Amino acid sequence: MVLGVSGGIAAYKAVEVCRRLFDAGAYVSPVLTPAALRFVGAVTFSAVASEPARTALWDDPDPIPHTRLGQSADLVVVAPATADLLARYAAGMADDLLTATLLATRAPVLVCPAMHTEMWEHPSVQDNLATLRRRGVHVLEPASGRLAGGDVGTGRLAEPADIVSAAAGVLGRSGPGLDLAGRRVLVTAGGTREAIDPVRVITNRSSGKQGYALAERASRRGAEVVLVTTVERPTPPGVEVVRVVSAADMEEAVVPRAADMDVVIMAAAVADFRPKAVADHKIKKGDGLPEIILEPTHDFLEDLGRHKPSGQVLVGFAAETEAVEDNARQKLTRKRLDLIVANDVSAEGVGFEHDTNSVVILGSDGSRSEVPLTTKEAAADAVLDAVSHRLRAGQRSSRSPEEPTGSRSS
Ligand code: CTP
């Protein structure tokens, strides 16, 4: 992938784009225009990309760097694309390495414009974009927000995560292993902790490993992933992590985000009961045996099932110790899920705290697939295979993977 960077203040954000593309598994070759070098250093990109950043047509060891880059790229992303870069690209100029590469390539191109609102709205910029769109160039439109110099308006470079997601979406048509490109996926992980007093909690044995594996694999497969977790583990590349403690916190983090998601996977072991009253101070031994009255927590997966947007794939987990499939199927129906992942946590090497898992994935369409004892990463891939199948099987998505995010409004 060639990441072209032209000379605007948003060039600093392109460093994050570069890192995220690399983390998502892309081989990234950065190309900076001379104007970009006034905002950011080539070394910064070299440090986070797959190969050193290139900045000129002439001083490269390769006599024809533009044709080599253009021919070998699967995708060229230009972020930020300034008004000047768009004009030169639309006019077919090749006066620096980036524009020469853009002319030399037959790979799909995604441009991510960023400039001041007045420039963005200027007819010449809009005409150039219309020309580029007509030629098949993908455009991820700028967002509204704070601009250089404290101004506010349209022209702000799209967020790095959105750029990566749009890039994956463009590649999704032909890119191998990117079947979740352009999809937004929310995963929950870990056991919730319900306070008894400021010191003590009621919790469960969930380690969060399966949820983290799901988040990591979904991100690798091109999805934009939010992981809501109660446990602290190394953050999987490209994944946005939201930390929570209790079932109520998890609900607060998950429910408002769920409506925008293509996929919600509730791998967390959410407490079913919590102490009715939380003592303000540590309960002292000397006061005798405390009586802890429990109350039910709210089953928000049931709510998510009830309010599921059309096209969303909703996945629950069922950790059981008996009548595993019967219990899981009942939950699948009661909570209006598309898929449920059932595991017998009393079996050897399965579920909580282990690095391995053995699951049965049941679908609301009657499908059933068994995953014998394997790593949690492989179990995650099996779950995501089922999710991907459901997404493809005619479930209308809120955002088509064939279409980069920004082109919706274009
Ligand atoms: N879940 C939830 N909110 C709760 C309890 C559970 O969202 N308060 C979700 C879990 O994340 C899981 C699914 O519901 O994906 C099934 O959880 P589980 O505890 O196995 O099922 P319950 O319906 O609570 O039934 P039981 O505990 O009686 O087996």
Side-chain angles (χ1 to χ4, degrees):
M1 192 177 291
V2 170
L3 173 64
V5 183
S6 60
I9 182 61
Y12 81 92
K13 283 195 190 166
V15 179
E16 175 71 7
V17 174
C18 188
R19 191 190 63 81
R20 282 179 183 250
L21 288 170
F22 178 84
D23 285 349
Y27 184 95
V28 188
S29 309
V31 174
L32 279 71
T33 65
L37 289 170
R38 295 192 173 259
F39 293 91
V40 278
V43 178
T44 316
F45 283 88
S46 300
V48 294
S50 311
E51 60 176 40
R54 290 190 159 77
T55 57
L57 265 168
W58 306 112
D59 55 5
D60 202 277
D62 184 344
I64 45 167
H66 56 303
T67 45
R68 193 192 63 73
L69 283 167
Q71 286 165 357
S72 58
D74 294 315
L75 175 68
V76 180
V77 177
V78 185
T82 58
D84 176 65
L85 186 282
L86 294 171
R88 289 189 292 125
Y89 183 22
M93 290 175 74
D95 53 352
D96 61 20
L97 179 56
L98 179 54
T99 46
T101 304
L102 285 166
L103 273 197
T105 195
R106 295 294 171 266
V109 175
L110 170 69
V111 294
C112 310
M115 63 200 73
H116 250 69
T117 313
E118 293 82 351
M119 297 172 83
W120 170 248
E121 289 173 349
H122 197 284
S124 64
V125 171
Q126 291 304 319
D127 284 352
N128 288 333
L129 274 172
T131 302
L132 293 173
R133 279 199 181 102
R134 219 175 30 248
R135 293 177 190 158
V137 171
H138 301 267
V139 179
L140 179 57
E141 296 210 356
S144 261
R146 225 181 83 195
L147 303 167
D151 290 344
V152 174
T154 304
R156 196 180 145 88
L157 181 69
E159 287 308 312
D162 292 332
I163 295 174
V164 174
S165 170
V170 174
L171 273 180
R173 274 182 244 170
S174 54
L178 285 170
D179 58 337
L180 296 176
R183 306 287 190 178
R184 288 177 184 261
V185 176
L186 187 147
V187 181
T188 62
T192 61
R193 289 194 298 279
E194 312 301 326
I196 297 172
D197 66 15
V199 180
R200 304 176 180 96
V201 294
I202 296 178
T203 188
N204 58 63
R205 292 180 187 277
S206 173
S207 62
K209 286 178 186 168
Q210 187 62 74
Y212 267 74
L214 279 159
E216 194 266 329
R217 298 305 307 159
S219 173
R220 284 253 163 224
R221 291 167 72 151
E224 193 180 321
V225 183
V226 178
L227 174 65
V228 178
T229 174
T230 62
V231 291
E232 185 114 25
R233 306 182 66 81
T235 301
V239 171
E240 180 191 338
V241 172
V242 180
R243 293 197 195 287
V244 294
V245 178
S246 66
D249 294 343
M250 187 171 274
E251 176 172 358
E252 206 175 293
V254 170
V255 172
R257 288 179 168 89
D260 286 337
M261 297 289 158
D262 297 303
V263 181
V264 175
I265 306 179
M266 282 289 301
V270 184
D272 289 327
F273 315 103
R274 67 172 160 235
K276 195 166 182 167
V278 181
D280 289 338
H281 300 288
K282 185 182 171 192
I283 299 170
K284 302 303 284 180
K285 207 162 39 186
D287 297 340
L289 268 186
E291 186 178 57
I292 298 166
I293 313 275
L294 300 176
E295 65 176 7
T297 58
H298 182 218
D299 189 332
F300 58 93
L301 183 55
E302 240 178 274
D303 279 356
L304 295 180
R306 219 171 291 126
H307 304 296
K308 193 165 77 80
S310 123
Q312 185 182 78
V313 175
L314 185 59
V315 186
F317 269 66
E320 307 288 347
T321 55
E322 56 184 354
V324 178
E325 285 195 41
D326 280 353
N327 281 335
R329 205 164 269 292
Q330 278 175 29
K331 285 178 195 174
L332 176 77
T333 312
R334 191 176 76 240
K335 303 194 188 198
R336 298 178 214 208
L337 309 175
D338 298 292
L339 295 165
I340 195 152
V341 183
N343 55 4
D344 179 352
V345 288
S346 61
E348 188 71 22
V350 175
F352 299 147
E353 290 165 354
H354 296 285
D355 289 324
T356 49
N357 211 353
S358 153
V359 299
V360 179
I361 305 163
L362 304 172
S364 57
D365 56 359
S367 63
R368 178 185 183 282
S369 83
E370 223 174 301
V371 185
L373 197 64
T374 184
T375 60
K376 286 193 167 169
E377 284 70 27
D381 268 327
V383 172
L384 295 172
D385 287 346
V387 166
S388 185
H389 183 261
R390 288 300 288 249
L391 284 168
R392 282 197 313 273
Q395 287 205 343
R396 194 174 56 75
S397 165
S398 55
R399 193 195 306 163
S400 156
E402 273 83 41
E403 202 179 308
T405 326
S407 63
R408 277 186 304 168
S409 54
S410 62

